[in-house]
């Protein structure tokens, strides 16, 4: 397989995987392109290589910057903005986890805390069932929260070593 073909296949596949991580296909394709590019790229470079509009590139690069996956790069003497993606896959994975936790898990846990304090007779079967279910979901969410915090703070080698111990 030639490099250009492999790059296109990677970009297309990373785009498809992105939807599973909570980002849109185009955003993931831009991220993939920036990850495999040895040099920072301008919006024009991204538009040309992925055949997408300036507005689409601009919006998705802003989102990638918000996610902490892409950085603006200043090149002396250049008026254009350039962009580069984090190349360390461990850092990329932990950043995606942090963002998804912030956007999904944290709001869910706040809601479950609110829903746990309902009025009424705690012996009523409907209230009892509701509070038990909410409590179980909250407990699971808190355990997931602690696990994700541990993973994000962990050193890559420590995490992979402990993960392998689970499978032995």
């Amino acid at each position: 397989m030639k490099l250009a073909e492999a790059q296109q296949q990677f970009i297309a596949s990373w785009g498809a995987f992105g939807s599973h991580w909570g980002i849109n296909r185009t955003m993931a394709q831009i991220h993939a392109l920036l990850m495999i590019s040895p040099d920072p790229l301008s919006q024009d470079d991204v538009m040309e290589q992925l055949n997408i509009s300036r507005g689409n590139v601009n919006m998705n690069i802003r989102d990638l910057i918000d996610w902490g996956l892409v950085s603006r790069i200043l090149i002396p003497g250049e008026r254009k903005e350039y962009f580069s993606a984090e190349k360390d896959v461990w850092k990329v994975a932990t950043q995606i986890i942090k963002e998804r936790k912030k956007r999904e898990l944290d709001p869910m846990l706040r809601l479950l805390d609110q829903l746990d304090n309902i009025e009424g007779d705690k012996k009523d079967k409907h209230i009892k069932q509701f509070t038990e279910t909410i409590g179980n979901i909250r407990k699971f969410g808190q355990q997931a929260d602690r696990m994700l915090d541990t993973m994000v703070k962990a050193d890559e080698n420590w995490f992979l070593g402990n993960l392998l111990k689970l499978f032995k």
Side-chain angles (χ1 to χ4, degrees), residues 90 147 150-152 154-165:
W90 178 257
M147 181 192 71
T150 300
M151 184 179 167
V152 165
D155 173 70
E156 177 181 7
N157 294 327
W158 175 88
F159 178 77
L160 293 176
N162 282 315
L163 185 62
L164 289 175
K165 287 178 189 176

Side-chain angles (χ1 to χ4, degrees), residues 58-85:
N58 186 36
M59 177 183 64
N60 282 295
I61 285 180
R62 268 195 325 244
D63 287 343
L64 285 164
I65 290 170
D66 289 344
W67 275 70
L69 298 171
V70 167
S71 301
R72 277 190 179 84
I73 305 295
L74 298 175
I75 298 178
E78 286 285 336
R79 291 178 53 195
K80 291 181 182 179
E81 286 186 322
Y82 286 81
F83 305 92
S84 182

Side-chain angles (χ1 to χ4, degrees), residues 117-135:
N117 298 320
I118 60 168
E119 297 173 3
D121 181 6
K122 304 294 183 201
K123 294 178 184 173
D124 177 272
K125 70 178 186 177
H126 297 287
I127 292 176
K128 186 176 180 179
Q129 181 62 53
F130 181 80
T131 56
E132 185 177 306
T133 300
I134 295 301

Side-chain angles (χ1 to χ4, degrees), residues 7-45:
Q7 288 173 325
Q8 288 304 314
Q9 188 173 346
F10 173 74
I11 290 167
S13 297
W14 197 260
F17 297 146
S19 63
H20 299 294
W21 304 326
I23 62 175
N24 72 57
R25 183 176 55 85
T26 303
M27 185 173 158
Q29 288 175 330
I30 293 170
H31 183 240
L33 174 63
L34 292 172
M35 278 185 21
I36 63 173
S37 297
D39 300 314
L41 300 178
S42 69
Q43 284 188 4
D44 292 336
D45 296 330

